[in-house]
Amino acid sequence: MVHQMIPPGSILGILGGGQLGRMTALAAANLGYRAHIFAPEKDSPASNVAWRFTCADYNDQQALEAFAANVDSITVEFENVPEAALTLLAELKPARPNSRALATAQDRLVEKKYLESVGFKAAPFQAVDGPEDISKALEVFGSPIILKTRRFGYDGKGQVKITSSSDVKAAWAELGQSPSIAEGFVNFTREISVITARDIMGKIKSYPAVENRHENHILRQTIAPAAELGKLAEEAEYLASQAIKGLDMVGLLAIEMFVTDDHQLIVNEMAPRPHNSGHWTMDFAATCQFEQLVRCAMGLPLGSTQILRPAEMTNILGDEVNEWPKLLADPNVHLHLYGKAEARTGRKMGHWNKAQ
Ligand code: AMP
């Protein structure tokens, strides 16, 4: 198969209008491309910096076809784009990542099974289709367990911890009786992630594993690289490369993992797109994750994933964004704001990077 580089001046189509799309569009511009955003929201962080914007529903076939006709390659910044939309687009233009990667990441049950199949260890899990499955999981895995909806969960939404059989009915109702998975609770000491990239030639490069610190289920800080992982760093990178290869996808795959008390790696979840834990690469890696995605989508060779300097990334949540003058008073802070008008509690408004 002949692989073609899509030359500068061409158009990258991005499904999704969030900050990940915004930073991908900016990286595309740096390489001389134009970005065309497709998103249902009228005003979005990505559409504000893009060359063109289609405001339409992901199920609008006519709008999808017109979008495909207007772009040279397509990527996603949001993994809950309906699989059917990407499948339709992939018949018309290169879709990177492919719809298989998207479908795998959209369903926690399919995702966990896939990650185990490439060699990751996962917490014990089982499908839940009713309260009796939850009771069974509690009996088999022991208390506590975590119940998570198979679809549309993020930042701790769509999940609930269950400690006793008296919680079962309420938990099932809280998740709206949606198909779910029950997972055994992992006693972890740290959470880490690896972002790996695969180009159209099948070449794979990973960024070093980083440590992620959460507050109220939302990522607060990433430390790059994660300290003292020893052999686990290599294991995480190797397994991530197996996961991206197995999906035959071109693009970025982020994988979140736990490190347990006894120094084992337990996989949590994956995302076939740029990831919040990779934002440090914008200022402290040889190639930032957004440029890496643009390179993948446009058929260019991968850039170096080398870390230039140990760094920290901190998310700016809600009205913390009003503290921008204070952040800028430190000349070593690299500030990245997403241009969101409304600072709702817990909403990701921006982030800052700083050398450690
Ligand atoms: P998730 O939405 O799967 O990323 O989960 C959000 C957060 O909940 C994770 O970052 C962990 O801090 C915690 N968590 C998720 N699954 C488990 C588990 N099986 N055991 C312990 N903590 C978990």
Side-chain angles (χ1 to χ4, degrees):
M1 196 162 119
V2 182
H3 290 301
Q4 284 200 330
M5 291 203 264
I6 301 173
S10 306
I11 301 159
L12 175 62
I14 303 173
L15 296 170
Q19 62 266 20
L20 302 175
R22 177 185 180 94
M23 293 182 275
T24 305
L26 293 171
N30 270 337
L31 285 175
Y33 296 110
R34 288 173 287 172
H36 184 155
I37 305 296
F38 188 111
E41 305 85 24
K42 271 203 189 70
D43 184 30
S44 69
S47 62
N48 290 341
V49 302
W51 170 70
R52 256 190 204 168
F53 172 42
T54 297
C55 182
D57 192 89
Y58 295 121
N59 299 312
D60 183 338
Q61 194 166 332
Q62 228 180 339
L64 288 168
E65 281 168 6
F67 174 70
N70 190 252
V71 303
D72 298 292
S73 180
I74 294 161
T75 194
V76 301
E77 68 100 44
F78 168 62
E79 76 259 29
N80 286 323
V81 168
E83 183 195 350
L86 196 63
T87 303
L88 183 151
L89 292 170
E91 282 169 18
L92 304 167
K93 288 289 156 70
R96 300 165 180 164
N98 58 25
S99 55
R100 184 177 159 215
L102 197 71
T104 306
Q106 283 174 352
D107 182 331
R108 286 189 191 270
L109 183 64
V110 176
E111 175 184 79
K112 278 259 168 25
K113 285 183 179 165
Y114 174 70
L115 291 168
E116 277 195 335
S117 78
V118 298
F120 278 104
K121 286 192 210 86
F125 63 92
Q126 69 159 66
V128 167
D129 294 305
E132 57 291 349
D133 295 326
I134 307 175
S135 303
K136 194 171 147 220
L138 202 54
E139 209 180 289
V140 178
F141 306 154
S143 167
I145 56 169
I146 300 198
L147 189 66
K148 302 179 179 178
T149 54
R150 283 173 63 169
R151 292 179 173 273
F152 304 121
Y154 72 100
D155 286 349
K157 293 188 177 68
Q159 65 176 267
V160 45
K161 191 169 158 183
I162 301 174
T163 47
S164 101
S165 52
S166 58
D167 302 342
V168 167
K169 276 206 173 126
W172 179 240
E174 192 178 328
L175 294 194
Q177 308 189 344
S178 316
S180 297
I181 66 166
E183 279 180 28
F185 193 80
V186 179
N187 284 314
F188 60 86
T189 48
R190 289 192 287 167
E191 295 188 68
I192 64 164
S193 58
V194 166
I195 298 173
T196 192
R198 184 166 177 270
D199 69 13
I200 51 168
M201 303 302 288
K203 189 154 187 200
I204 295 172
K205 283 187 188 186
S206 295
Y207 289 98
V210 296
E211 178 175 341
N212 299 317
R213 298 182 183 158
H214 295 83
E215 277 170 23
N216 305 320
H217 290 286
I218 299 172
L219 182 66
R220 167 56 78 178
Q221 206 170 35
T222 294
I223 315 293
E228 293 165 12
L229 279 182
K231 283 215 168 102
L232 291 188
E234 268 166 54
E235 188 186 332
E237 275 186 37
Y238 171 73
L239 291 172
S241 70
Q242 293 300 103
I244 200 167
K245 199 171 4 171
L247 291 166
D248 194 26
M249 65 166 277
V250 174
L252 299 182
L253 184 67
I255 304 194
E256 296 182 53
M257 293 156 265
F258 303 118
V259 178
T260 62
D261 310 358
D262 55 350
H263 215 58
Q264 281 201 45
L265 218 50
I266 304 286
V267 76
N268 183 22
E269 60 178 357
M270 64 175 223
R273 53 160 171 80
H275 196 256
N276 196 166
S277 69
H279 290 358
W280 64 273
T281 62
M282 295 174 84
D283 302 299
F284 292 101
T287 311
C288 100
Q289 64 165 344
F290 301 102
E291 176 178 332
Q292 198 75 294
L293 176 59
V294 173
R295 285 171 175 249
C296 292
M298 295 318 224
L300 312 183
L302 295 177
S304 163
T305 49
Q306 207 186 336
I307 185 164
L308 301 176
R309 235 175 124 174
E312 292 174 9
M313 184 288 308
T314 306
N315 270 337
I316 300 170
L317 304 175
D319 57 15
E320 290 166 9
V321 70
N322 299 329
E323 288 171 28
W324 61 267
K326 207 163 110 195
L327 288 167
L328 286 177
D330 179 345
N332 297 314
V333 160
H334 298 264
L335 183 63
H336 302 271
L337 296 178
Y338 309 149
K340 296 181 183 176
E342 204 190 329
R344 290 192 296 272
T345 310
R347 192 175 193 205
K348 291 174 181 169
M349 303 298 290
H351 67 272
W352 51 276
N353 291 330
K354 196 175 175 182
Q356 273 180 39

